[in-house]
């Protein structure tokens, strides 16, 4: 096994618990601005989360929940417009500080940067959503710690297709065997695994109970000194929180997944 050289992080659910209190709220604000009488409550949004990508999610809602949309000639253009407004609302929400990073994320990213690991983002979400979240929580400079932001529409096929992780690897100039992915969802894990990546799963509120077969390890979070993680699948070999040394060990043990 080659040495660990890079970490590739998912964003939504992994860096922050931001689906219900972030993306959902922003969608509903954009719908109201557009004069639509749509409102995605938490239960509806949970069902919609099976489709990744905000524009794709809106199309799924129109097709499968509304049975189509009358009186709109250019549906793609309409979705793009409402989604752009959603991104504005989401950015405003992020800048209020309402959406913090999950415990341990800031510590691990800082430590990995200081240890000289290459860092990448591989997310379905829009680029500005990822950079704003980091800048807001860790300061503007933290954005420069990342060598690659593989986000949103930069690839044709979103997760669970492997495209976004393959794109991140090409941009990093690293092999899959030199990296670890950190994900929170079944589709994200499928995407990372299909790209050949060993994957640590930190389950989020939206993904609890999903199937994480094939993950290197499944945890309830990264843990912190004084607030250890809980192991949900696999063997953490007595560790209590995830740091760079732990990730090097997890990467080196090329064991079958949990
Ligand atoms: C999760 C998603 C995203 C967001 C919406 O992505 O499905 O689509 O809910 O983001 P990941 P946009 O876990 O890969 O970060 O509205 O910007 O598409
Ligand atoms: Mg995610």
């Amino acid at each position: 096994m080659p040495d660990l050289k890079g970490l590739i992080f998912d964003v939504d659910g992994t860096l922050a618990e931001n689906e219900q209190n972030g993306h959902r709220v922003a969608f509903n604000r954009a719908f109201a601005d557009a004069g639509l009488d749509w409102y995605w409550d938490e239960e509806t949004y949970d069902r919609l989360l099976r489709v990744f990508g905000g524009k794709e999610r809106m199309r799924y809602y129109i097709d499968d929940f509304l049975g189509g949309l009358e009186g709109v000639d250019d549906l793609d253009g309409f979705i793009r417009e409402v989604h752009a407004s959603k991104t504005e609302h989401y950015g405003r929400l992020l800048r209020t500080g309402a959406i913090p990073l999950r415990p341990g994320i800031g510590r691990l990213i800082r430590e990995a940067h200081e240890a000289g690991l290459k860092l990448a983002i591989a997310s379905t979400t829009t680029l500005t959503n990822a950079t704003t979240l980091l800048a807001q929580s860790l300061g503007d400079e933290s954005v420069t710690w990342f060598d690659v932001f593989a986000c949103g529409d930069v690839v044709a096929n979103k997760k669970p297709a492997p495209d976004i992780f393959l794109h991140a690897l090409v941009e990093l100039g690293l092999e899959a065997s030199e990296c670890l992915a950190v994900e929170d969802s079944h589709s994200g894990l499928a995407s990372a695994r299909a790209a050949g990546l060993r994957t640590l799963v930190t389950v989020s509120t939206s993904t609890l109970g999903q199937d994480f077969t094939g993950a290197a390890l499944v945890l309830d979070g990264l843990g912190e000194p004084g607030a250890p993680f809980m192991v949900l699948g696999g063997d953490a070999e007595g560790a209590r929180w995830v740091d760079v040394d732990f990730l090097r060990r997890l990467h080196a043990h090329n064991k079958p997944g949990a």
Side-chain angles (χ1 to χ4, degrees):
M1 199 70 183
D3 286 347
L4 178 65
K5 298 200 178 122
L7 298 179
I8 309 180
F9 289 91
D10 168 50
V11 174
D12 299 315
T14 300
L15 298 191
E17 287 280 8
N18 55 358
E19 286 293 3
Q20 290 287 0
N21 59 0
H23 288 294
R24 185 183 67 88
V25 172
F27 276 115
N28 284 330
R29 288 181 182 168
F31 299 157
D33 281 0
L36 295 162
D37 63 357
W38 308 351
Y39 180 80
W40 290 354
D41 60 23
E42 292 195 11
E43 194 249 309
T44 305
Y45 195 66
D46 254 340
R47 289 160 62 206
L48 291 166
L49 277 173
R50 65 181 294 271
V51 172
F52 272 48
K55 294 188 285 295
E56 292 78 359
R57 193 167 295 146
M58 284 174 61
R59 181 172 284 274
Y60 171 54
Y61 178 71
I62 291 166
D63 291 345
D64 284 46
F65 288 60
L66 304 181
L69 196 59
E70 301 274 304
V72 175
D73 295 333
D74 174 13
L75 189 54
D76 282 347
F78 174 77
I79 288 175
R80 258 199 315 276
E81 217 171 279
V82 178
H83 186 260
S85 155
K86 176 259 169 180
T87 301
E88 296 275 320
H89 279 292
Y90 184 70
R92 273 198 282 280
L93 210 54
L94 283 177
R95 285 189 290 273
T96 67
I99 302 167
L101 295 179
R102 290 183 66 181
I105 289 286
R107 171 183 57 75
L108 182 64
I109 286 175
R110 203 179 290 277
E111 198 190 320
H113 166 65
E114 282 164 8
L117 291 180
K118 284 189 160 188
L119 298 177
I121 290 292
S123 171
T124 310
T125 207
T126 309
L127 173 63
T128 161
N129 295 350
T131 54
T132 307
L133 175 67
L134 288 168
Q136 174 67 35
S137 344
L138 298 177
D140 289 346
E141 204 205 328
S142 65
V143 176
T144 67
W145 301 346
F146 284 79
D147 301 274
V148 173
F149 282 89
C151 289
D153 298 331
V154 74
V155 290
N157 304 305
K158 293 188 174 173
K159 298 173 189 176
D163 305 28
I164 198 76
F165 281 101
L166 292 172
H167 179 77
L169 286 168
V170 169
E171 295 289 308
L172 280 171
L174 295 175
E175 299 294 326
S177 58
E178 297 173 307
C179 298
L180 266 181
V182 188
E183 265 288 353
D184 74 305
S185 70
H186 170 80
S187 290
L189 170 64
S191 171
R193 293 251 305 152
L197 286 153
R198 264 170 87 61
T199 306
L200 167 66
V201 171
T202 51
V203 174
S204 63
T205 47
S206 309
T207 65
L208 261 175
Q210 291 185 355
D211 178 7
F212 296 115
T213 305
L217 187 65
V218 185
L219 304 173
D220 70 339
L222 293 177
E224 285 282 54
F229 56 61
M230 196 193 293
V231 180
L232 305 177
D235 183 1
E237 298 179 348
R240 302 175 70 217
W241 61 87
V242 175
D243 57 15
V244 169
D245 279 349
F246 176 80
L247 291 180
R248 289 193 205 282
R249 290 201 300 281
L250 188 68
H251 174 256
H253 293 197
N254 199 10
K255 289 189 292 195

